[in-house]
């Protein structure tokens, strides 16, 4: 059966058959993060393994038969990569790197940055004699919609050559009359300190390349020697500028024209200029050249890329896994033959020099740009997977043009369906970030980026959407996708606001998704050649069923119920106390228990850690932890651990390491924080290894070392005003995620259960106790109304006063049944739909 592309109206290739033959591992999984990591075909890995198992490959720097076999594979991979990009080795050289990021760093390190000084620049003074003119100072210009790895080049440009940096927009590029006009309009990036630092080093670094030779046949010509043969540049006084942009945005899939390369390279910006037709655009032979670096990583996996046409960028970067899915850790820097002489390295490694002496300043770089920039032995066994990967890919699809039409059809279908979704009040369900309206595959790639909206227009946090998607076996991406510039543009986040977010504690990759009512990121779905319309429909049905409110909530009037505000307090009752001695294991219920500033004594004081990686185990990844039932015997001073069909384990509460200075602590991570603890011995390690089927050990918190801390501010985590709160009092933490105590309101749980029954039609059998247990709270209280805890400031239990420090933002942990280990979308799905961005059903507390 061939899946029909609804947009193109033609049968492009047998995507359903491809899915069945090559991607059986996707059964029951909706994978929509192909922009992040395209999936590899099963046969690609099998063919590569067969190649390695059936041959002997030696170091390509040797001359043995096995080494020659490796060299042939590497050369074949270079030619095949260029062929699939529509060009040849006559035009481009391939420099293999550890990925696209490594290729960009290599280019930044090797590029001839120059700067103005009081009489000299790093390359030479301008012909005009004006040391402050742009003709003698390099400019690094990048589109505001670039990956972090591109923006990061500016640090090298600043520090290595004192280059000026500007950020331009697509609108600026389309409307400018010249590069000078664009540079004038573009926003400069202030780096006064970096420029000063660079200037202080100019005197001791007159020339970037330090590899020299007395044998002219082996030298790399500098700009004074250019102008004949394949070389274009011919002025020692020239400043070289670098302009970067992606072929396709990794934020929302917007495509940028290859024609920009020619436009950039055609424009002269110098005082005395003679232009030469280079075949790669018109380049200045006066005192300035504009060079382009094109990031094609986001485009190659779903679009044809032709470097053999009239638009030829000087430098091209990519990661191979973005195209083939496998192998990771392999990328390439493509260098146009007309500018290959510009790149040099002050460092040299194995294979990059034809001769050198460790006893003198004598080193002769190799003439080939690939040889002189590939430091050390290339990853030849990984490179061997390239040709095999292309063979497999084009046995599954007819062409990259067919892939482009198929994935665009999926994105267009998804965009239109999302755009049509409306709440009961006709307000949109989603806010989609695009300017193309998905009208053409020439302007739009297979990515849809959006945020979910509530009926009142408030945002649903992207991390909540992602967590709920995981509970439905849907894999997507949320955040800023390593493209902060696009995030700032589309979400209207000013740089001042970005700084305030950082001051308030927001960091890249965390769960702080809404600050002051505004999103800090978005949700992204992206398609690959193996994606189907079933994938799109599963995702769309998930969004509709989880977040669309189709009818107005009823107005409920209840007689005899009053609210207490101000200094008055409602009387609640403490129903139960639970502690979790071992993180992610079963609860231990007690009627009374000692407490401290760090919470209930011994609550989450132990954690199970993998022996190989020292990673702490979580119930989300290891559901068997639910079978482990710990308890505490204070009188005997023991942690007692039980599991079905296993002998009882007893561990002393006071580990010998607490008083033994010779026993070193073990380090692991809890919620990205480094924490230390004590290995509880081989007997405990063997017990947990038998129960879990993984080699692991038990770690007890080291309370003698200052570990994780939280502050006592009452600000919500997404409140930017927290940055100015001066009354933060550090509180030591156990292995708990956020706060010492977690309080559950019985009335809220009961209300949630009714909502689940209403939305699922009794298909989910979950009583109040089962539902309460999913939230893994320490304190269960009764006597309040549903959701009254939202407004609590403090809770007093007897003589103990507990301060509320914010709601508990729930993750997919609550989707795991603590009694069976089974997972389901509930109750996170109902919480997301009815509680919106809060998705909370508990309150974090700490003791005062």
């Amino acid at each position: 059966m061939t899946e029909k592309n609804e947009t193109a109206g033609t049968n492009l290739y047998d995507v359903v058959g491809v899915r069945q033959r090559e991607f059986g591992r996707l059964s029951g999984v909706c994978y929509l993060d192909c922009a992040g990591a395209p999936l590899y075909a099963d046969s690609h890995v099998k063919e590569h393994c067969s190649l390695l198992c059936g041959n002997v490959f030696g170091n390509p720097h040797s001359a043995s038969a096995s080494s020659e076999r490796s060299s042939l594979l590497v050369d074949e991979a270079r030619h095949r990569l260029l062929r699939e990009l529509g060009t040849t080795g006559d035009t481009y050289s391939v420099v293999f790197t550890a990925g696209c990021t490594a290729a960009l760093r290599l280019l930044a390190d090797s590029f001839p940055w120059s700067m103005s000084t009081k009489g000299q620049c790093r390359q030479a003074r301008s012909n005009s004699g004006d040391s402050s003119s742009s003709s003698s100072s390099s400019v690094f210009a990048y589109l505001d919609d670039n990956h972090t790895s591109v923006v990061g080049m500016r640090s090298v440009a600043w520090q290595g050559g004192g280059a000026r940096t500007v950020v331009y927009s697509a609108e600026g590029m389309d409307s400018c009359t010249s590069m000078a006009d664009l540079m004038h309009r573009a926003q400069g990036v202030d780096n006064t300190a970096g420029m000063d630092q660079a200037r202080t080093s100019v005197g001791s670094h007159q020339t970037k390349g330090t590899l020299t030779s007395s044998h002219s046949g082996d030298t790399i010509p500098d700009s004074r020697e250019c102008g004949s043969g394949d070389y274009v540049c011919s002025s020692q006084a020239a400043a070289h500028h670098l302009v970067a942009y992606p072929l396709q945005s990794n934020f929302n899939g917007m495509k940028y024209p290859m024609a920009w390369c020619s436009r950039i390279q055609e424009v002269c910006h110098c005082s005395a200029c003679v232009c030469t037709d280079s075949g790669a655009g018109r380049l200045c032979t006066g005192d300035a050249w504009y060079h382009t670096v094109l990031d094609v990583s986001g485009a190659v996996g779903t679009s044809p890329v032709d470097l053999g046409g009239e638009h030829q960028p000087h430098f091209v970067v990519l990661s191979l896994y973005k195209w083939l899915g496998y192998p990771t850790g392999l990328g390439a820097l493509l260098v146009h033959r007309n500018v290959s002489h510009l790149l040099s390295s002050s460092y040299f490694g194995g294979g990059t020099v034809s001769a050198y002496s460790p006893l003198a300043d004598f080193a002769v770089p190799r003439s080939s740009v690939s040889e002189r920039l590939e430091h050390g032995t290339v990853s030849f066994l990984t490179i061997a997977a390239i040709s095999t990967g292309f063979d497999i890919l084009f046995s599954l699809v007819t062409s990259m043009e067919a892939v482009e039409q198929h994935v665009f059809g999926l994105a267009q279908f998804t965009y239109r369906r999302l755009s049509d979704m409306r709440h009961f009040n006709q307000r949109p369900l989603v806010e989609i970030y695009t300017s193309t309206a998905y009208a053409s595959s020439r302007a739009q790639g297979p990515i849809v980026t959006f945020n979910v909206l509530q009926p009142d227009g408030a945002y649903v946090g992207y991390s909540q959407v992602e967590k709920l998607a995981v509970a439905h076996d849907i894999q997507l991406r949320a955040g800023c996708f390593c493209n902060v510039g696009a995030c700032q543009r589309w979400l209207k986040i000013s740089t001042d606001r970005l700084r305030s977010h950082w001051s308030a504690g927001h960091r890249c990759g965390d769960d702080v998704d809404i600050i002051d009512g505004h999103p800090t990121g978005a949700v992204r779905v992206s398609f690959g050649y193996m994606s189907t319309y079933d994938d799109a429909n599963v995702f769309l049905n998930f969004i509709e069923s989880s977040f669309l409110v189709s009818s107005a909530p009823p107005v409920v009037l209840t007689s005899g119920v009053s609210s207490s505000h101000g200094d008055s307090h409602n009387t609640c009752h403490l129903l139960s106390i639970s502690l979790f001695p071992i993180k992610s294991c079963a609860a231990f219920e007690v009627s009374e228990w000692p407490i401290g500033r760090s919470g209930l004594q011994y609550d989450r004081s132990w954690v199970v850690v993998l022996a190989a990686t020292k990673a702490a185990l979580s119930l989300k990844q290891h559901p068997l932890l639910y079978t482990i039932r710990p308890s505490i015997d204070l009188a005997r001073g023991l942690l007692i651990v039980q599991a079905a069909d296993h002998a009882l384990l007893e561990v002393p509460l006071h580990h010998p390491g607490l008083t033994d200075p010779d026993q070193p602590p073990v380090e692991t991570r809890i919620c990205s924080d480094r924490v230390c603890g004590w290995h509880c011995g081989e007997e405990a390690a063997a017990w947990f290894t038998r129960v879990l089927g993984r080699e692991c050990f038990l770690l007890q918190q080291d309370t003698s070392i200052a570990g994780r801390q939280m502050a006592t501010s009452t600000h919500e985590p997404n409140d930017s005003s927290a940055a100015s709160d001066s009354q933060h009092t550090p509180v030591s933490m156990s292995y708990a995620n956020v706060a010492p105590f977690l309080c559950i309101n019985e009335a809220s749980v009961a209300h949630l259960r009714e909502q689940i029954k209403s939305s699922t039609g009794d298909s989910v059998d979950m009583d109040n106790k089962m539902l309460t247990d999913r939230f893994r709270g320490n304190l269960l209280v009764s006597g309040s109304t549903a959701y009254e805890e939202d407004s609590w400031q403090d809770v007093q239990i007897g003589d103990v006063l507990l301060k509320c420090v914010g709601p508990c933002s729930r993750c997919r942990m609550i989707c795991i049944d603590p009694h069976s280990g089974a997972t389901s979308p509930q109750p996170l799905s109902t919480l997301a739909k009815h509680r919106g961005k809060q998705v909370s059903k508990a309150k974090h507390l700490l003791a005062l």
Side-chain angles (χ1 to χ4, degrees):
M1 175 182 176
T2 301
E3 182 166 287
K4 185 175 181 180
N5 182 300
E6 296 186 6
T7 301
T10 59
N11 294 332
L12 298 170
Y13 57 91
D14 183 12
V15 65
V16 175
V18 167
R19 183 69 166 257
Q20 293 172 345
R21 294 192 306 273
E22 299 287 347
F23 299 95
R25 61 189 185 276
L26 286 179
S27 177
V29 176
C30 179
Y31 188 82
L32 297 176
D33 189 24
C34 293
L39 298 176
Y40 52 83
D42 286 354
S43 54
H44 183 186
V45 179
K46 292 175 182 177
E47 288 292 328
H48 185 219
C49 289
S50 177
L51 176 69
L52 298 183
C53 293
N55 294 275
V56 177
F57 296 104
N59 191 310
H61 289 165
S62 301
S64 65
S66 60
S67 298
E68 289 182 355
R69 190 177 296 115
S70 298
S71 296
L72 288 173
L73 273 180
V74 173
D75 289 341
E76 179 187 352
R78 293 188 206 273
H79 291 299
R80 184 63 183 273
L81 176 60
L82 291 173
R83 190 177 89 189
E84 301 305 340
L85 290 170
T87 187
T88 68
D90 293 334
T91 306
Y92 285 96
S93 296
V94 176
V95 181
F96 283 121
T97 66
C100 183
T101 295
L104 290 163
R105 176 60 194 260
L106 179 63
L107 175 60
D109 286 337
S110 307
F111 192 79
W113 306 109
S114 60
M115 66 177 292
S116 298
T117 64
K118 293 181 179 179
Q120 61 185 26
C121 68
R122 187 162 186 174
Q123 295 293 326
R125 286 192 62 186
S126 163
N127 287 342
S128 67
D130 180 5
S131 64
S132 64
S133 71
S134 61
S135 60
S136 58
S137 181
S138 292
V139 172
F140 176 48
Y142 52 85
L143 186 67
D144 56 5
D145 185 1
N146 256 307
H147 192 278
T148 300
S149 298
V150 174
V151 179
M153 296 174 69
R154 72 186 187 190
S155 298
V156 180
W158 282 339
Q159 298 172 13
R164 296 182 296 115
T165 301
V166 296
V167 185
Y168 65 94
S169 65
E171 294 79 7
M173 176 65 77
D174 289 336
S175 62
C176 71
T177 58
S178 66
M179 285 303 295
D181 180 37
L182 178 66
M183 295 301 102
H184 178 71
R185 297 189 196 184
Q187 177 183 349
V189 179
D190 180 31
N191 185 47
T192 306
M195 293 285 285
D196 290 343
Q197 179 183 0
R199 286 192 175 95
T200 61
S201 63
V202 165
S204 58
H205 298 280
Q206 292 296 315
T207 306
K208 178 166 185 150
T210 61
L211 305 187
T212 58
S213 169
S214 58
H215 302 283
S216 59
D218 291 331
T219 57
I220 306 303
D222 63 20
S223 53
R224 287 172 297 182
E225 298 167 319
C226 302
S228 60
D230 290 337
Y231 300 114
V232 178
C233 310
S234 61
S235 170
Q236 173 69 4
H240 295 278
H241 310 309
L242 189 61
V243 184
Y245 72 95
L247 192 57
Q248 177 179 298
S249 169
N250 74 311
F251 181 83
N252 63 1
M254 182 175 178
K255 293 183 177 180
Y256 297 102
M258 286 274 288
W260 279 8
C261 294
S262 297
R263 185 176 184 188
I264 293 167
Q265 293 159 190
E266 283 173 356
V267 178
C268 304
H269 176 42
C270 50
S271 57
C273 176
V274 179
C275 291
T276 302
D277 188 355
S278 69
R282 288 160 52 86
L283 299 179
C284 296
T285 55
D287 60 359
W289 292 269
Y290 283 98
H291 306 288
T292 51
V293 52
L294 184 66
D295 179 2
V296 301
S297 283
V300 287
T302 54
S303 302
V305 178
D306 182 13
L307 300 179
E310 68 174 302
H311 308 302
Q312 297 179 0
H314 294 140
F315 308 103
V316 179
V317 293
L318 74 154
S319 285
L320 269 301
Y321 83 97
K322 294 287 189 177
W323 196 339
L324 303 172
Y326 172 84
T328 55
L330 181 64
L333 167 65
L334 275 59
V335 183
H336 198 282
R337 62 181 175 85
N338 287 332
V339 294
S340 61
H341 63 288
L342 294 177
L343 303 187
S344 62
S345 175
S346 55
Y347 171 84
F348 61 91
T352 61
V353 290
S354 56
Y356 83 98
S357 170
L359 305 178
D361 186 12
F362 170 73
V364 185
R366 294 188 182 274
S367 57
S368 162
V369 67
S370 297
E371 291 180 314
R372 71 175 183 266
L373 293 184
E374 289 176 347
H375 299 289
T377 302
V378 294
S379 184
F380 58 94
L381 295 179
T382 307
I383 291 171
I386 294 177
S387 296
T388 301
F390 283 124
D391 289 340
I392 296 297
L393 174 63
F394 292 112
S395 72
L396 302 176
V397 303
T398 53
S399 66
M400 290 309 299
E401 287 79 6
V403 172
E404 180 179 46
Q405 289 304 310
H406 169 63
V407 296
F408 173 72
L410 288 169
Q412 186 184 64
F413 171 72
T414 302
Y415 165 76
R416 290 175 175 174
R417 281 279 308 275
L418 285 174
S419 299
D420 289 341
M421 293 182 184
R422 301 271 165 174
H423 288 295
F424 68 91
N425 57 6
Q426 293 306 302
R427 288 192 173 187
L429 175 61
V430 297
E431 180 177 84
I432 304 176
Y433 305 112
T434 181
S435 59
T436 69
Y438 292 75
S440 167
S441 62
R442 291 187 297 273
Q444 178 64 51
I447 296 175
V448 183
T449 303
F450 64 96
N451 270 307
V452 176
L453 300 172
Q454 298 180 68
D456 61 358
Y459 291 95
V460 176
Y462 62 78
S463 67
Q464 304 303 335
V465 178
E466 183 178 37
K467 292 171 185 176
L468 189 55
V470 171
H472 284 78
D473 289 322
I474 298 173
Q475 316 300 317
L476 43 76
R477 184 82 177 267
C480 275
F481 328 122
C482 295
N483 190 334
V484 177
C487 220
Q488 285 191 255
R489 175 184 178 183
W490 288 102
L491 302 181
K492 299 178 175 59
I493 303 174
S494 67
T495 300
D496 286 342
R497 179 179 289 179
L498 194 71
R499 289 191 176 106
S500 72
H501 290 178
W502 185 87
S503 297
H506 175 41
R507 300 292 183 268
C508 289
D510 65 19
D511 288 343
V512 181
D513 46 21
I514 295 177
I515 297 179
D516 297 332
H518 299 282
T520 61
V523 181
R524 183 186 75 184
V525 295
S526 53
F527 302 96
Y529 76 88
M530 76 299 297
S531 301
T532 67
Y533 280 90
D534 284 344
D535 293 326
N537 281 315
V538 167
F539 162 73
L540 291 165
N541 291 339
F542 154 71
I543 291 294
E544 187 172 28
S545 63
S546 299
F547 302 104
L548 184 67
V549 180
S550 57
S551 59
V555 177
V556 179
L557 298 178
T558 305
S559 61
V561 176
S562 60
S563 299
S564 298
H565 302 283
D567 295 330
S568 61
H569 293 77
N570 285 344
T571 301
C572 299
H573 304 282
L574 180 61
L575 292 182
S576 65
I577 302 171
S578 299
L579 61 149
F580 301 83
I582 304 176
K583 186 175 176 64
S584 283
C585 292
F588 172 44
E589 294 189 15
V590 295
S591 58
E592 60 179 20
W593 200 256
I595 70 168
R597 290 276 287 173
S598 296
L600 296 170
Q601 189 176 20
Y602 298 116
D603 181 46
R604 296 174 174 90
S605 290
W606 290 266
V607 65
V608 184
V609 175
L610 283 177
T613 63
K614 304 300 187 295
L617 297 188
S618 166
L619 187 60
K620 288 182 284 187
Q621 287 80 34
H622 302 276
L624 275 178
L625 287 167
Y626 86 92
T627 64
I628 298 174
R629 302 185 305 278
S631 60
I632 302 287
D633 188 332
L634 291 176
R636 298 170 59 203
L638 291 175
L639 166 70
I640 302 171
V641 192
Q642 303 177 69
D645 302 323
H646 291 274
L648 198 73
L649 174 67
E650 294 183 345
V651 179
L653 293 181
H654 298 285
H655 192 274
L658 297 174
T659 56
D660 182 3
D662 295 328
Q663 182 172 350
V666 178
E667 186 179 275
T668 186
R669 283 183 177 271
I670 302 292
C671 294
S672 300
D673 295 328
R674 288 191 179 95
V675 295
C676 288
W678 299 103
H679 193 300
C680 291
E682 295 304 325
E683 180 184 355
W687 191 91
F688 280 94
T689 297
R690 288 193 301 271
V691 173
L692 298 176
R694 302 285 300 275
E695 188 176 355
C696 53
F697 59 90
L698 186 65
L699 194 72
Q700 182 179 6
Q701 182 187 20
D702 182 3
T703 56
S704 66
I705 298 177
R708 301 169 66 230
Q709 294 185 334
M710 67 168 294
T712 62
S713 169
T714 57
H715 289 292
E716 301 290 342
N718 63 355
D719 185 355
S720 63
S721 64
S724 61
D725 192 327
S726 61
Q727 301 190 6
H728 289 244
T729 304
V731 174
S732 296
M733 290 278 291
S734 67
Y735 290 150
N737 284 359
V738 179
F741 298 91
L742 186 62
C743 184
I744 309 292
N745 181 0
E746 183 187 42
S748 298
V749 174
H751 187 272
L752 173 61
R753 181 173 178 244
E754 292 303 315
Q755 289 178 318
I756 293 174
K757 289 176 63 178
S758 175
S759 61
T760 62
D762 290 329
S763 62
V764 177
D765 183 17
M766 196 183 308
D767 61 27
N768 282 4
K769 176 67 166 65
M770 295 172 62
L771 186 54
T772 301
D773 289 347
R774 292 193 175 217
F775 292 94
R776 300 177 67 81
N778 299 114
L779 310 173
L780 177 64
V781 299
S782 66
S784 294
T785 58
Y787 310 123
E788 184 181 317
E789 66 272 23
D790 290 348
S791 61
W792 287 352
Q793 296 298 316
D794 53 59
V795 175
Q796 185 157 358
I797 303 173
D799 295 330
V800 179
L801 180 62
L802 302 176
K803 182 183 181 69
C804 297
V805 292
C808 177
S809 178
R810 301 313 315 184
C811 65
R812 60 189 177 92
M813 180 80 82
I814 63 176
C815 295
I816 302 172
D817 184 344
H819 303 287
S820 68
T823 61
S824 68
Q826 295 295 348
L828 189 60
S829 180
T830 298
L831 276 173
K833 188 166 187 176
H834 294 280
R835 295 280 281 166
K837 63 183 179 182
Q838 296 178 35
V839 192
S840 60
K841 187 60 63 179
K843 201 75 170 180
H844 285 306
L845 309 172
L846 59 85
L848 295 178

